[in-house]
């Protein structure tokens, strides 16, 4: 099996090359078969690998040396262990479903763009696989940047629309701010211990000072803030919804944005050594979770609600990481991948039926037109709201329980966020699927359920959203915490919290109760009277996302642009180049003056000659003095 | 004999070109010449006897200057870059028409001969000779072909770099008198025991000349004007190869001869370089002209190399060595794209462009790859170089590395801005009639893209070469 590991990323890469290079000559069905087929093949290999890891543990496979210098060796190597094999399954499994869905969703595109789409999507899966398979931080960074590139290409997929292009650019640049943090962390490791391999770094933690560890973990976390859309680097993700909806499902919900969680979980040994960073991670995560949830309440674009919901759920995962519940965070990555991919694809199905309308205010009553989409979407909403026994309940509960053990305030804010989540999700559900249809007659006439290539992924993901939680049923509910046991070799720094069963029951009871209340309020409020007017007062602030984009524009983008213009027009032109030209003019001027010396009078020339000789002799004798003179003044 | 032939081939074929009448024949002849040079340097690297990589003959015996050349690791790499760059340039500009094309190609080849001499000479006087020899054809190339303001711009370029060279000449002559038996050989310069005071002064005599050539902030103002006004084929050679002369010369001449001074002034030079990175990047963000944008981007990238040299750290130095090659390859690619756009649409103003991807999809794919190479994305060769340079700089000073590291953010701003403004969005009147690039440009860009990706995934051959 080991010999086949390289095929997992290689197959999507081959798919990318075939679809990319031959996209004009291949038919759409061939493109779709190649594009989805390679991912399915990777999934099958990943599955075999997963069971192999489960039975006989992980391993590291070295291929060649990427960089081989005297003091620095960075191998191109893969680490297949419990953590990466789990992510492989999520990426290739959900990746395959979304490829399948895309085959139908993107069918209106011309051959060339259809091929381009699948090529990008394959390249994305390749990069994402590289990210989780790499055995050191540099290979991870290769994948890290690769997914950023694909995200850029896919957000701007419809490149005729300049708003989409701006969104794509914004995503890439904001990610790069985080990437600088990541790189500096890698440099720090190289400077201190001369290696970036996970196993070596984690074995050498004693060679780091505690300040080193805090710095490295914070810098890595800055990288995670960019990729996983946390405060203050989250504003690109909602804009990234400009891309095709399956892309939002795969990249901007299920996989890429969870890279930061993967990275921190991978580095759990480092993070558990820095109390400061752990607090920072928990607080940033919690703040993001709450902040994004408040924005989601007042969004009217169906994808924007889901986008802020994703930001908020990612915040939850970071809360989990911050309180040491690494397995809980990974568990939430998994269940979130199921239900958020489901919700996005469901939204895609709605948008498809509505002919690219994304404004919920023009929907309503879609329940009877899109039965499969409706049921599966409802499953997704229940799952994300944390209602047992759906998957979201278990993963969210695990994070909340760990948060409570660390600090009850964390738990309180977490539960409040959970209530908001249930509220905005059912606001979305009620506005879209319940009540009466509010679109045009034209749209009403064309409303139809999506083709089976789109509904099958919905059904599969809905099933996973229902049962996904059973992979890790906590002991208090009679389970075995199977995921904990499976991941324990890769996650050695898990914080085990002890709480009495009665406390745990109480915590669960409260979080479920507030979610149910929020759901009931939302359905009652929005199924009959959806919010159709423009928001007023404070709601307007939320609708406008707390004006954070405007704030960034004014405190960062505009000053930077002005500084650039100032450099360009004043310093460069008048200052530096002006000085250079000034020297030129001075030479010209002095030449004109010196010309006067060439008077043609022999006496004058002889005078200069004598003077020159005297200077020369002086220099000859005193060269040391002159040297020291220069030395003194330069 | 290999280094001598590397100089003689372009020199002789260049002189012959002056005599050719037919424009097509000149193009084929120049292409032929660079193919021979490229083959020769590749053979020299991999197949020929190492003893053939040196050459020594008496030249100006009275002055103690010898006709001596040597191809060591860095020289091999730079000669390969020179030969390959000219080959790619000649392929890319094959369809362009130049008035008096025989002189154009002849001068290009003479300039190539000058570059080869600079990269291989192991005698200071010889080095200086080729240093100036490269400048003279460059002067004519810039002043005879190009934009409207080319005469005055080229004059500044010439005087500025020439002034720098003269200062260096003073330094060379001083060192000559310091050698025990009055010689110009590099070896004897290396063996000099200069006092700190001497080093501190001589350092600047040499370094300013090289800093102007690179160019480094604040000696850079000739560069955007010259790159903008020159014919793009010439710009490719200037930024792809000539800019490396400055970096090369610092590594070959300044670092080993004035180690104390390098140590002493490293802070100043690194700070200036880092200012250069941020300053040039911010200006690039505000540029509307494609060529000026690439010019400032180039200043930022070269500045990083300069900072890395002075961090005096092996990791950074390895990064600089391979980055000289990588930067040359990427920047030539960018110029080819800029030229193709200008030829197609007739303007270089970003504000007047848009939607070209719909009309020229192949060109759009190439620019995306080159753009991401320019921002040093992994899988592109430039990532390896920038990674090592920043990593080395980090070991010198964390804050400086962090500020220099903003290049990865700023470069993505101006590069993606350029891609978006030219290629995305809806077509405008000017781009409406554009067609995709012709075969020769596709070939040139394909070669570049393959080099970029292969060396990005497997850079070891480059490390072995410069060892």
């Amino acid at each position: 099996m080991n010999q086949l590991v390289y095929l997992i990323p290689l197959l999507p890469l081959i798919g990318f090359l075939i679809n990319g290079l031959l996209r004009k000559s291949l038919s759409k069905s061939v493109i779709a078969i190649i594009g989805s087929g390679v991912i399915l093949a990777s999934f099958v290999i990943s599955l075999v690998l997963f069971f192999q890891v489960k039975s006989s543990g992980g391993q590291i496979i070295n291929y060649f040396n990427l960089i081989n210098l005297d003091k620095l060796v960075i191998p191109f190597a893969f680490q297949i262990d419990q953590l990466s094999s789990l992510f492989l399954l999520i990426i290739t499994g959900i990746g395959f479903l979304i490829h399948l869905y895309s085959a139908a969703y993107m069918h209106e595109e011309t051959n060339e763009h259809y091929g381009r789409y699948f090529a990008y999507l394959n390249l994305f899966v390749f990069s994402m696989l590289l990210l989780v398979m790499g055995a050191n931080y540099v290979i991870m960074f290769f994948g890290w940047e690769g997914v950023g590139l694909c995200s850029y290409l896919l957000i701007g997929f419809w490149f005729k629309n300049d708003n989409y292009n701006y969104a794509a650019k914004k995503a890439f640049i904001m990610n790069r701010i985080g990437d600088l943090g990541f790189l500096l962390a890698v440099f720090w490791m190289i400077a201190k211990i001369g290696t970036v391999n996970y196993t070596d770094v984690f074995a050498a933690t004693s060679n780091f000072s505690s300040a080193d560890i805090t710095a490295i973990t914070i810098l890595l976390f800055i990288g995670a803030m960019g990729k996983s859309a946390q405060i203050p680097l989250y504003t690109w993700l909602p804009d990234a919804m400009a891309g095709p909806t399956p892309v939002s499902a795969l990249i901007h919900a299920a996989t890429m944005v969870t890279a930061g969680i993967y990275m921190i979980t991978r580095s759990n040994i480092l993070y558990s050594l820095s109390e400061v960073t752990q607090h920072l991670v928990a607080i940033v995560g919690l703040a993001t979770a709450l902040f994004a949830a408040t924005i989601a309440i007042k969004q009217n674009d169906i994808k924007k609600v889901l986008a802020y919901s994703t930001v908020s759920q990612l915040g939850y995962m970071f809360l989990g990481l911050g309180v040491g519940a690494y397995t809980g965070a990974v568990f939430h990555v998994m269940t979130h991948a199921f239900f958020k991919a489901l919700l996005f694809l469901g939204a895609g199905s709605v948008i498809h039926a509505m002919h690219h309308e994304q404004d919920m205010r023009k929907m309503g009553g879609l329940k009877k037109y899109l039965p499969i989409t409706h049921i599966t979407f409802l499953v997704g909403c229940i799952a994300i709201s944390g209602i047992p026994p759906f998957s979201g309940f278990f993963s969210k509960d695990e994070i909340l329980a760990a948060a409570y053990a660390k600090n009850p305030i964390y738990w309180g804010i977490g539960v409040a966020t959970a209530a908001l989540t249930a509220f905005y999700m059912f606001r979305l559900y009620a506005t879209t699927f319940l009540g009466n249809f509010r679109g045009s007659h034209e749209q009403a006439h064309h409303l139809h359920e999506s083709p089976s290539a789109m509904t099958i992924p919905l059904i599969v993901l809905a099933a996973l959203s229902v049962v996904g939680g059973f992979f890790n049923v906590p002991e208090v509910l009679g389970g075995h915490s199977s995921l904990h046991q499976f991941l324990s070799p890769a996650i050695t720094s898990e914080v085990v919290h002890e709480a009495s069963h009665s406390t745990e029951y109480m915590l669960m009871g409260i979080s479920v109760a507030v979610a149910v209340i929020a759901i009931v309020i939302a359905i009652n409020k929005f199924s009959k009277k959806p919010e159709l007017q423009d928001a007023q007062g404070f709601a307007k602030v939320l609708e406008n996302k707390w004006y954070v984009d405007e704030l960034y524009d004014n405190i960062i983008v505009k000053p930077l642009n002005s500084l650039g213009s100032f450099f360009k027009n004043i310093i460069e032109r008048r200052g530096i180049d002006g000085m250079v030209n000034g020297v030129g003019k001075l030479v010209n001027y002095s030449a004109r003056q010196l010309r006067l010396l060439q008077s043609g009078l022999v006496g004058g020339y002889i005078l200069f000659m004598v003077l020159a000789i005297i200077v020369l002799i002086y220099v000859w004798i005193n060269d040391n003095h002159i040297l020291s003179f220069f030395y003194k003044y330069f | 004999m290999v280094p001598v032939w590397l100089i003689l081939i372009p020199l002789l074929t260049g002189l012959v070109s002056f005599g050719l009448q037919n424009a097509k024949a000149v193009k084929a002849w120049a292409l032929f010449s660079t193919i021979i040079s490229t083959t020769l340097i590749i053979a020299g690297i991999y197949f020929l006897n190492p003893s053939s990589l040196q050459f020594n003959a008496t030249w100006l015996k009275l002055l103690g200057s010898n006709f001596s050349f040597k191809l060591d690791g860095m020289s091999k790499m730079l000669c390969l870059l020179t030969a390959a760059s000219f080959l790619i340039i000649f392929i890319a500009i094959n369809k362009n028409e130049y008035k008096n094309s025989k002189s154009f190609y002849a001068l290009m080849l003479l300039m190539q001969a000058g570059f080869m001499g600079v990269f291989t000479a192991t005698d200071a006087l010889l080095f200086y000779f080729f240093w100036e020899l490269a400048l003279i054809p460059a002067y004519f190339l810039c002043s005879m072909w190009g934009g409207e303001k080319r005469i005055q711009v080229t004059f500044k370029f010439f005087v500025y770099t020439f002034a720098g060279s003269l200062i260096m000449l003073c330094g060379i002559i001083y060192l000559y008198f310091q050698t025990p038996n009055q010689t110009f050989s590099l070896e004897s310069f290396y063996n000099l025991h200069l006092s700190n005071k001497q080093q501190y002064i001589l350092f600047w005599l040499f370094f300013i000349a090289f800093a102007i050539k690179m160019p480094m902030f604040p000696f850079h103002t000739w560069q955007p004007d010259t790159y903008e006004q020159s014919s793009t084929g010439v710009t490719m050679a200037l930024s792809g190869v000539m800019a490396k002369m400055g970096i090369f010369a610092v590594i070959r001449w300044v670092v080993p001869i004035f180690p104390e001074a390098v140590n002493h002034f490293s802070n100043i030079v690194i700070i200036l370089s880092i200012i250069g990175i941020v300053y040039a990047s911010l200006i690039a963000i505000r540029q509307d002209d494609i060529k000026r944008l690439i010019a400032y981007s180039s200043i930022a990238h070269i500045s990083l190399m300069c900072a890395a040299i002075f961090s005096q750290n092996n990791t950074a130095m390895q990064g600089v060595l391979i980055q000289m090659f990588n930067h040359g390859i990427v920047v030539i690619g960018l110029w080819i794209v800029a030229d193709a756009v200008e030829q197609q649409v007739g303007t270089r103003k970003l504000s007047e462009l848009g939607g070209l991807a719909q009309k020229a999809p192949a060109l759009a794919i190439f620019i995306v790859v080159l753009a991401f190479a320019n921002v040093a994305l992994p899988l592109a060769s430039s990532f390896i170089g920038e990674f090592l340079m920043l990593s080395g700089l980090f070991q010198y000073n964390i804050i400086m590395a962090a500020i220099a590291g903003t290049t990865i953010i700023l470069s993505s701003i101006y590069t993606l801005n350029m891609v978006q403004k030219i290629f995305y969005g809806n077509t405008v009147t000017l781009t409406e009639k554009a067609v995709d690039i012709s075969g020769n440009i596709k070939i040139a860009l394909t070669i570049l893209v393959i080099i970029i990706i292969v060396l990005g995934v497997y850079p070891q051959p480059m490390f072995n070469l410069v060892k």
Side-chain angles (χ1 to χ4, degrees):
Chain A
M1 200 58 218
N2 301 344
Q3 308 88 288
L4 295 183
V5 167
Y6 69 90
L7 281 179
I8 297 175
L10 187 64
L11 286 167
L13 184 65
I14 292 171
F16 158 71
L17 290 174
I18 295 175
N19 278 337
L21 295 173
L22 305 176
R23 64 192 185 287
K24 283 180 196 158
S25 42
L26 296 177
S27 73
K28 281 189 203 174
S29 45
V30 175
I31 291 171
I33 288 169
I34 292 173
S36 320
V38 289
I39 309 295
L40 182 62
S42 288
F43 175 68
V44 171
I45 302 174
S46 304
L47 203 60
V48 177
L49 206 62
F50 177 80
F51 286 109
Q52 200 186 11
V53 169
K54 200 169 177 204
S55 61
S56 54
Q59 58 184 323
I60 293 170
I61 306 163
N62 273 300
Y63 291 100
F64 58 89
N65 281 333
L66 183 69
I67 290 173
N68 184 5
L69 301 174
D70 300 340
K71 284 189 197 151
L72 179 64
V73 179
I74 298 175
F76 191 97
F78 288 154
Q79 178 160 352
I80 305 299
D81 64 357
Q82 291 77 9
L83 186 60
S84 52
S85 64
L86 182 69
F87 270 83
L88 288 186
L89 284 185
I90 297 174
I91 296 160
T92 53
I94 294 185
F96 169 68
L97 291 174
I98 290 172
H99 276 70
L100 183 66
Y101 180 97
S102 301
Y105 189 84
M106 299 299 286
H107 214 266
E108 292 164 26
E109 298 293 324
T110 61
N111 255 27
E112 191 183 344
H113 293 306
Y114 196 72
R116 188 163 64 90
Y117 174 82
F118 274 97
Y120 290 168
L121 220 51
N122 281 176
L123 185 65
F124 167 75
V125 175
F126 162 75
S127 309
M128 194 67 210
L129 291 171
L130 214 55
L131 193 161
V132 297
M133 291 174 82
N136 59 55
Y137 285 99
V138 173
I139 302 300
M140 184 197 265
F141 192 70
F142 268 59
W144 191 267
E145 293 285 83
V147 292
L149 164 69
C150 297
S151 165
Y152 166 82
L153 292 171
L154 283 161
I155 295 169
F157 180 75
W158 288 303
F159 55 75
K160 285 186 199 171
N161 184 326
D162 249 333
N163 286 333
Y164 295 0
N165 296 326
Y166 281 114
K169 202 169 66 182
K170 179 176 175 184
F172 191 82
I173 291 165
M174 287 201 110
N175 266 293
R176 278 240 136 177
I177 298 173
D179 295 347
L180 179 58
F182 191 130
L183 270 183
L184 291 172
V186 173
F187 297 153
W188 206 302
M189 291 176 208
I190 293 175
K192 291 289 169 187
I193 55 172
T195 176
V196 291
N197 297 331
Y198 300 141
T199 45
D200 301 339
V201 173
F202 302 149
T205 46
S206 54
N207 297 352
F208 290 119
S209 69
S210 64
D212 285 338
I213 292 201
T214 301
I216 290 173
T217 47
I218 288 180
L219 287 168
L220 282 176
F221 180 50
I222 292 174
M225 285 174 182
K227 196 62 70 194
S228 298
Q230 296 298 292
I231 290 174
L233 299 177
Y234 71 97
T235 59
W236 65 270
L237 184 59
D239 289 7
M241 297 301 125
T245 307
V247 169
S248 311
L250 178 62
I251 301 184
H252 304 120
T255 55
M256 182 183 89
V257 289
T258 63
I261 289 102
Y262 171 79
M263 183 245 277
I264 292 181
T265 310
R266 181 52 91 192
S267 321
N268 66 81
I269 294 177
L270 295 179
Y271 277 83
S272 62
L273 291 173
S274 173
E275 192 76 7
V276 178
T277 316
Q278 282 196 309
H279 278 296
L280 181 71
V281 173
I283 290 168
V284 169
L286 203 55
T288 310
L290 183 63
F291 189 72
T294 60
I295 299 175
I297 289 175
K298 287 292 169 191
Q299 296 305 305
N300 293 315
D301 180 321
I302 186 166
K303 285 182 75 181
K304 283 276 162 73
V305 178
L306 293 177
Y308 280 103
S309 161
T310 305
V311 175
S312 172
Q313 296 297 311
L314 291 166
Y316 250 109
M317 296 173 205
F318 281 101
L319 170 64
L321 297 173
V323 298
Y326 298 102
T327 310
V330 172
F331 188 28
H332 201 53
V333 166
M334 186 175 95
T335 59
H336 177 258
F338 297 152
F339 58 67
K340 193 49 75 57
L342 168 64
L343 291 168
F344 266 113
L345 295 185
S349 178
V350 168
I351 295 165
H352 191 68
M354 295 285 299
H355 284 264
H356 304 292
E357 180 60 64
Q358 296 186 193
D359 191 334
M360 299 191 302
R361 289 172 295 190
K362 296 182 183 142
M363 297 175 183
L366 296 180
K367 185 177 166 182
K368 61 178 175 219
Y369 303 102
L370 307 170
I372 302 175
T373 307
H374 165 247
I375 290 294
T376 51
F377 201 91
L378 182 58
V379 168
C381 289
I382 299 174
I384 195 176
S385 303
I387 305 298
F390 288 52
S391 60
F393 164 73
F394 293 99
S395 53
K396 206 179 265 190
D397 173 67
E398 183 159 349
I399 291 173
L400 285 176
Y404 184 82
K406 186 93 169 183
N407 186 340
I409 297 172
Y410 288 175
W411 177 84
I413 300 174
V415 170
T417 307
L420 288 176
T421 308
F423 181 78
Y424 66 68
M425 282 313 300
F426 277 85
R427 170 181 175 266
L428 166 66
Y429 168 76
T431 315
T432 310
F433 290 98
L434 305 181
N436 299 317
F437 185 65
R438 296 180 296 271
S440 64
H441 282 291
E442 183 83 356
Q443 283 170 323
H445 191 67
H446 286 116
L447 281 177
H448 56 90
E449 182 57 277
S450 301
S452 53
M454 285 165 71
T455 50
I456 290 171
L458 291 178
I459 295 166
V460 175
L461 287 168
L464 287 169
S465 302
V466 176
V467 303
F470 300 132
F471 291 121
N472 194 30
V473 178
E475 268 155 49
V476 59
L477 295 178
H480 296 100
S481 299
S482 323
L483 196 66
H484 270 280
Q485 289 173 13
F486 174 69
L487 287 175
S488 57
I491 302 177
T492 54
S493 316
E494 183 85 24
V495 177
V496 183
H497 52 269
E498 297 291 335
S500 68
H501 281 196
S502 58
T503 317
E504 295 217 9
Y505 286 133
M506 183 197 71
L507 297 180
M508 283 181 202
I510 294 175
S511 68
V512 172
V514 293
V516 170
I517 294 169
I519 292 172
V520 172
I521 296 175
I523 291 190
N524 272 334
K525 189 158 185 242
F526 299 112
S527 60
K528 299 187 188 75
K529 272 203 329 191
E531 286 179 314
L532 299 178
Q533 294 80 26
D534 285 335
Q536 300 294 329
F538 183 62
K540 198 173 163 71
V541 176
L542 293 183
E543 190 179 1
N544 285 298
K545 308 143 195 170
W546 296 93
Y547 296 100
V548 173
D549 275 319
E550 287 77 1
L551 179 74
Y552 285 179
D553 209 37
N554 281 314
I555 63 169
I556 297 168
V557 181
K558 280 183 189 158
L560 217 57
N561 276 337
S562 315
L563 190 62
S565 296
F566 175 70
F567 281 165
K568 178 184 165 212
N569 298 325
I570 311 293
I571 305 274
E572 182 81 345
R573 204 166 295 163
R574 307 242 177 91
I576 300 175
D577 205 30
M579 212 131 71
V580 172
N581 291 336
V583 171
K585 282 193 190 123
L586 188 71
V587 170
N588 248 337
Y589 172 78
S590 21
R592 239 177 289 134
Q593 303 304 313
L594 283 173
R595 208 176 49 183
L596 302 177
L597 295 176
Q598 311 281 338
S599 55
L601 297 172
V602 181
Y605 289 144
I606 290 174
L607 178 67
F608 281 119
M609 215 172 91
V610 174
L611 280 177
I613 289 167
I614 291 169
V615 169
L616 268 180
I617 291 169
Y618 178 79
V619 170
W620 194 263
I621 298 167
N622 294 299
D623 67 335
N624 268 329
H625 288 108
I626 292 172
L627 220 56
S628 56
F629 171 83
F630 275 112
Y631 168 61
K632 211 151 118 199
Y633 291 98
F634 289 95
Chain B
M1 279 306 278
V2 174
V4 178
W5 281 115
L6 284 175
I7 299 162
L8 280 181
I9 293 167
L11 186 71
L12 296 176
T13 49
L15 291 174
V16 170
S17 308
F18 279 118
L20 294 174
Q21 288 309 321
N22 180 330
K24 265 207 173 121
V26 177
K27 284 177 184 174
W29 178 245
L31 209 54
F32 171 72
S33 163
T34 48
I35 289 173
I36 301 286
S37 298
T38 313
T39 319
L40 179 64
I41 180 68
I42 291 174
I45 292 169
Y46 293 107
F47 305 113
L48 298 181
N49 188 337
S51 65
S52 67
L53 302 181
Q54 288 202 38
F55 183 81
N56 259 306
T58 332
W59 185 34
L60 304 168
K61 201 172 180 188
L62 201 65
L63 282 175
S65 175
N66 279 318
F67 206 67
S68 61
F69 300 95
K70 187 179 169 195
L71 273 169
D72 64 353
M74 183 168 50
S75 303
K76 281 182 200 163
M77 187 267 290
L78 285 164
C79 288
L80 180 65
L81 172 68
T82 309
S85 297
F86 276 84
L87 177 59
I88 291 164
I89 293 169
F90 287 149
I91 295 174
I93 62 173
N94 195 263
K95 295 263 160 57
N96 294 10
E97 293 305 327
Y98 297 97
K99 62 173 181 18
N100 197 1
S101 62
K102 59 178 182 178
S103 309
F104 180 85
Y105 280 92
L107 288 166
M108 286 289 275
L109 288 168
L110 293 182
M111 186 161 70
Q112 186 194 342
F115 294 157
M116 293 287 192
V118 167
F119 293 140
T120 53
T122 51
D123 181 283
L125 200 61
L126 202 59
F127 169 79
Y128 181 77
F129 172 77
F130 282 109
W131 184 269
E132 297 299 4
L133 188 74
L135 185 59
I136 293 161
Y139 171 74
F140 284 112
L141 283 165
C142 294
S143 60
M144 287 164 71
W145 293 269
E148 283 165 14
K149 284 189 276 180
R150 61 178 188 270
I151 303 284
Q152 99 198 56
V153 163
T154 310
F155 184 71
K156 180 152 99 187
F157 160 55
F158 185 81
V159 172
Y160 209 152
T161 52
F162 190 69
S165 310
L166 280 181
I167 307 175
M168 170 175 73
L169 183 62
C170 300
I172 290 179
I173 292 171
Y174 183 86
L175 286 179
Y176 167 76
F177 283 114
Q178 299 301 308
T179 54
N181 40 6
Q182 317 284 284
T183 144
F184 282 103
S185 88
L186 181 62
E187 196 69 19
S188 58
F189 280 19
Y190 282 179
N191 292 332
L192 285 174
H193 296 288
L194 298 169
S195 71
N196 285 1
K197 286 181 186 179
Q198 285 173 313
Q199 288 197 22
Y200 293 167
I201 294 163
L202 287 163
F203 169 85
W204 289 106
L205 297 186
F206 279 80
F207 185 71
I208 287 180
F210 302 149
I212 293 172
K213 207 74 163 193
M214 288 178 204
M216 181 190 133
F217 177 88
F219 304 108
H220 64 279
T221 50
W222 63 267
Q223 186 255 36
D225 291 339
T226 310
Y227 285 9
E228 182 198 356
Q229 290 296 321
S230 304
S231 152
T232 311
V234 179
T235 312
M236 292 177 204
L238 294 185
S239 62
V241 187
M242 191 189 248
K244 309 301 170 303
M245 274 166 53
I247 300 282
F248 161 84
V250 171
I251 298 174
R252 167 74 27 106
W253 297 87
V254 174
V255 173
I257 301 180
F258 315 116
E260 267 312 308
V262 169
N263 209 6
H264 189 248
F265 294 118
S266 59
N267 260 327
I268 299 178
V269 176
I270 293 178
I271 289 170
L272 278 178
S273 302
I274 290 173
I275 293 175
I277 293 172
V278 177
Y279 176 82
S281 300
L282 285 175
I283 293 183
I285 292 173
R286 303 305 291 166
Q287 284 301 335
D288 194 38
D289 184 298
I290 303 174
K291 284 178 93 172
R292 290 187 78 85
L293 190 153
I294 301 174
Y296 279 102
S297 154
S298 197
I299 295 175
H301 286 120
I302 295 271
S303 299
L304 178 57
M305 291 184 219
C306 189
I309 295 175
F310 281 82
S311 66
Q312 298 167 283
N313 159 307
N314 182 46
T315 313
M317 190 54 100
Q318 293 290 329
V320 177
L321 289 173
I322 64 165
Q323 193 65 1
M324 281 198 267
F325 189 88
N326 296 334
H327 175 260
I329 294 296
V330 173
V331 82
I332 288 174
L334 289 173
W335 291 122
I336 294 176
V337 172
D339 193 36
V341 171
E342 194 181 1
Q343 300 271 338
Q344 277 292 325
V345 188
T347 180
R348 294 193 306 258
K349 294 256 174 291
L350 293 178
S351 49
E352 294 171 5
L353 286 160
L356 199 58
Q358 293 160 54
K359 301 290 167 183
L363 185 61
I365 292 170
F366 284 119
I367 183 64
V368 168
V369 179
L370 288 165
F372 284 101
N374 196 44
V375 304
L377 202 79
L379 293 183
S381 55
S382 35
F383 170 72
I384 306 283
E386 285 203 2
F387 178 83
L388 293 176
M389 291 192 292
L390 287 171
S391 176
L393 195 56
F394 186 91
Q395 290 168 41
Y396 180 83
N397 184 311
I398 295 175
I399 303 296
M400 287 180 181
I403 301 173
T406 57
T407 178
I408 73 162
I409 302 165
L410 298 173
S411 66
S412 45
I413 298 177
Y414 59 72
T415 312
L416 296 185
N417 215 9
M418 176 180 80
V419 174
Q420 180 189 345
K421 293 270 172 60
I422 305 175
F423 288 95
Y424 298 156
N426 276 313
T427 50
V428 293
T429 2
L430 280 171
T431 50
E432 201 56 60
K433 291 198 189 104
V435 292
D436 214 343
I437 42 176
S438 52
N440 61 316
I441 295 179
K442 269 187 200 163
I443 294 171
L445 289 174
T446 308
I447 298 173
L448 294 176
V449 165
I450 290 174
I451 296 176
I452 287 170
I453 292 175
V454 168
L455 291 180
V457 181
Y458 191 63
Q460 204 54 45
M462 231 358 115
F463 288 127
N464 293 340
L465 183 58
V466 297
K467 209 165 248 173

